[in-house]
Amino acid sequence: MLSSNFRIPTGFHVEVPGDKSLSHRSVLFSSLASGRSHIKGFLEAEDPKNTMNCFSKLGVEFRKIGNTEYEVNSPGRAGLKSPVSELDFGNGGTGIRLSAGLISGLSGIRADLTGDASLRKRPMKRILEPLSKMGADIKSLSGDGKAPLRINGRQLNSFSYHSPIASAQVKSCLMLAAISSNVSLRYREDELSRDHTENILRFLGGKIVHDSPVEFSIHPPFDFSGSKFSIPGDISSAAFFIVFGLLSGKGELRIGNVGLNPARTGILTILKRMGGKIEIENERMECGEKIGDIRVFPSELRKVEIEAALIPSIIDEIPILTIAGLFSENGFSISHAEDLRAKESDRIHSMVINLRKIGVEVDEKADGYSFSEVGSLSDGMIESFMDHRIAMSFYILKSLLKKNIHIDDDSWIDTSFPDFKKIISRLDAANE
Ligand code: S3P
């Protein structure tokens, strides 16, 4: 079994940047609301900044008033205007899919939405089909169900949808389409995906009627006025340092002010089941979201079953969870995760290829992969596949083992966590 002798100074404190999902949503909801909003804790990274730039092209004014703080002035949903140039969402699937819903429901707005080479490969049929059924005029300009997307916004109809995938991006896309057209939506999914959009809607005074945890409806009017959005640290970014803390040989790591939405904390549930010593302190609520501080202690981990129902709540954390699996008794196995193939990269392929490069014998399946207990690793060159979470996961492995693992292009980290390498350098310096 692999082990690390990395020593973390006791009480080493990490602040992770603002939640990416909430940062995108703060831009979208402050754009829909009339008047002045205030955003605090915004993730200053490429993905949410691209979404912000796109909405400034629709006539919303974002003024930076401090580190991670913005004042927003919006004419409200009825006052948004057509952009004069393409809306470029870069690497951000959440940005383009949620915005596509919002813009589809805005009568008279015409826009082309696009992104980088990774985003232009990602499936958009999952939103194109239900949006079209709602009455939207949206099409894939490449003709293959992918971005660029052309939207002629119009009044949509009330809609009822049972989603074949547990995806918060699909759910939020349709919710935003209903909100911008001021019509009802009834939505059902088979497993609960992250419910940030529901929480923000409630926080802004909107009504959600739940028939079960996975089935709800929303009804107009959706006339929001400006509000104060406070964004906690991103648990998906914290996950890298939680795993780092657990796999270190000595010390204790604290991560302050992390979002603990129950639909996002599957990573904590699984790591604890694996034997991880993790404590939560100072639990509190802000803007309809649970937050708290996390303490992590070095732990011996073992393989556990990961059931299908937990997959939506760990969907972004599977790469770093796999790194924890390299240090686990009996190895690691993940199944029921076919949607990993539709992320910033095909994350099943990216993980399998990279693990093989450093000497791990991995079995690849359509919906996951597995390996038995790992004795040692070889040096190797990791391919990031234009995917921030692949780059960061292997970066953590490299630091823990102080091995010659190189990452071909770690600039992708900037899409979600620009200070990631600075925190690693602080840890490295404290360990010398
Ligand atoms: C997100 C939802 C998830 C997640 C993505 C962010 C969101 O995607 O992977 O990073 O903010 O709604 P899916 O809903 O497509 O699973």
Side-chain angles (χ1 to χ4, degrees):
M1 216 160 70
L2 294 181
S3 68
S4 164
N5 57 12
F6 201 101
R7 285 171 291 108
I8 296 180
T10 296
F12 188 92
H13 190 85
V14 174
E15 288 285 331
V16 289
D19 188 272
K20 185 144 81 81
S21 294
L22 288 170
S23 295
H24 286 294
R25 285 160 175 81
S26 71
V27 170
L28 302 177
F29 278 94
S30 60
S31 298
L32 285 167
S34 324
R36 180 173 304 169
S37 292
H38 183 261
I39 304 175
K40 194 179 87 195
F42 189 75
L43 169 61
E44 303 277 5
E46 288 169 6
D47 277 11
K49 283 209 280 200
N50 281 328
T51 300
M52 197 177 256
N53 286 339
C54 292
F55 276 81
S56 55
K57 290 189 182 179
L58 268 81
V60 184
E61 195 187 287
F62 298 91
R63 197 163 66 85
K64 192 168 164 98
I65 52 172
N67 187 26
T68 79
E69 250 183 284
Y70 289 82
E71 185 185 286
V72 186
N73 283 292
S74 173
R77 74 181 141 84
L80 297 175
K81 58 171 200 214
S82 296
V84 290
S85 56
E86 239 182 11
L87 301 179
D88 187 348
F89 291 88
N91 199 245
T94 306
I96 196 169
R97 293 198 180 108
L98 271 57
S99 304
L102 192 160
I103 295 170
S104 291
L106 292 175
S107 286
I109 303 287
R110 188 198 149 96
D112 288 347
L113 283 59
T114 192
D116 68 13
S118 149
L119 190 57
R120 281 186 272 111
K121 277 196 220 144
R122 296 180 67 183
M124 293 296 153
K125 277 197 186 128
R126 55 183 61 198
I127 59 161
L128 294 178
E129 285 176 2
L131 281 174
S132 302
K133 286 190 190 146
M134 241 175 134
D137 180 356
I138 178 168
K139 66 173 180 206
S140 152
L141 288 179
S142 54
D144 59 356
K146 299 191 173 143
L149 307 175
R150 172 156 296 165
I151 299 177
N152 283 301
R154 48 150 89 162
Q155 177 60 46
L156 306 178
N157 307 313
S158 289
F159 188 49
S160 177
Y161 191 58
H162 181 171
S163 176
I165 41 175
S167 160
Q169 293 185 358
V170 173
K171 174 169 66 178
S172 307
C173 166
L174 298 185
M175 288 177 75
L176 286 156
I179 291 168
S180 63
S181 254
N182 215 27
V183 294
S184 301
L185 172 75
R186 181 173 194 80
Y187 192 87
R188 182 168 155 207
E189 52 191 348
D190 293 330
E191 310 286 354
L192 181 68
S193 64
R194 63 190 69 189
D195 57 356
H196 299 303
T197 309
E198 293 93 307
N199 290 342
I200 295 200
L201 180 60
R202 228 180 266 114
F203 171 69
L204 290 175
K207 233 174 134 194
I208 302 198
V209 182
H210 270 275
D211 296 327
S212 78
V214 291
E215 186 166 7
F216 65 87
S217 51
I218 59 172
H219 303 279
F222 301 116
D223 296 319
F224 312 128
S225 38
S227 195
K228 286 193 168 171
F229 299 93
S230 178
I231 299 172
D234 196 325
I235 188 158
S236 299
S237 299
F240 295 101
F241 292 99
I242 295 171
V243 168
F244 198 111
L246 293 178
L247 299 182
S248 293
K250 230 176 154 202
E252 178 199 330
L253 200 139
R254 286 166 183 260
I255 310 166
N257 192 38
V258 182
L260 296 173
N261 178 313
R264 300 279 301 277
T265 49
I267 181 72
L268 302 181
T269 308
I270 292 168
L271 287 170
K272 281 185 190 169
R273 268 191 213 163
M274 288 169 80
K277 291 188 208 106
I278 302 172
E279 290 173 8
I280 306 290
E281 290 176 343
N282 303 321
E283 270 188 46
R284 51 209 186 266
M285 292 294 288
E286 236 176 68
C287 290
E289 293 282 346
K290 193 162 149 189
I291 54 181
D293 305 331
I294 301 180
R295 286 173 73 192
V296 188
F297 306 89
S299 308
E300 285 183 6
L301 303 184
R302 58 184 173 273
K303 180 178 174 181
V304 294
E305 270 306 306
I306 302 174
E307 66 271 25
L310 272 178
I311 297 295
S313 71
I314 55 164
I315 195 71
D316 291 338
E317 286 72 66
I318 293 172
I320 188 61
L321 194 56
T322 307
I323 301 299
L326 291 174
F327 293 70
S328 296
E329 188 185 326
N330 293 329
F332 180 76
S333 173
I334 188 91
S335 306
H336 322 291
E338 45 286 295
D339 216 42
L340 272 188
R341 296 201 183 270
K343 295 296 170 188
E344 284 83 332
S345 69
D346 170 345
R347 284 192 179 145
I348 293 180
H349 177 77
S350 311
M351 288 306 290
V352 168
I353 293 282
N354 282 319
L355 288 168
R356 286 186 182 146
K357 284 186 181 202
I358 51 172
V360 184
E361 282 183 34
V362 197
D363 281 333
E364 177 173 357
K365 301 177 290 179
D367 65 348
Y369 49 87
S370 60
F371 50 83
S372 25
E373 190 168 310
V374 174
S376 64
L377 295 178
S378 43
D379 295 345
M381 173 64 86
I382 299 301
E383 277 180 73
S384 62
F385 292 101
M386 304 179 83
D387 188 331
H388 55 137
R389 300 201 198 281
I390 299 295
M392 285 189 277
S393 298
F394 284 93
Y395 217 97
I396 293 285
L397 180 66
K398 164 192 160 95
S399 301
L400 280 168
L401 294 180
K402 303 193 181 75
K403 269 197 92 68
N404 278 328
I405 293 174
H406 298 286
I407 291 141
D408 65 345
D409 182 358
D410 59 23
S411 65
W412 295 102
I413 295 175
D414 290 347
T415 62
S416 71
F417 199 164
D419 280 343
F420 174 83
K421 287 191 277 175
K422 273 193 208 144
I423 301 176
I424 298 274
S425 306
R426 265 177 58 216
L427 275 163
D428 280 340
N431 193 56
E432 273 157 12

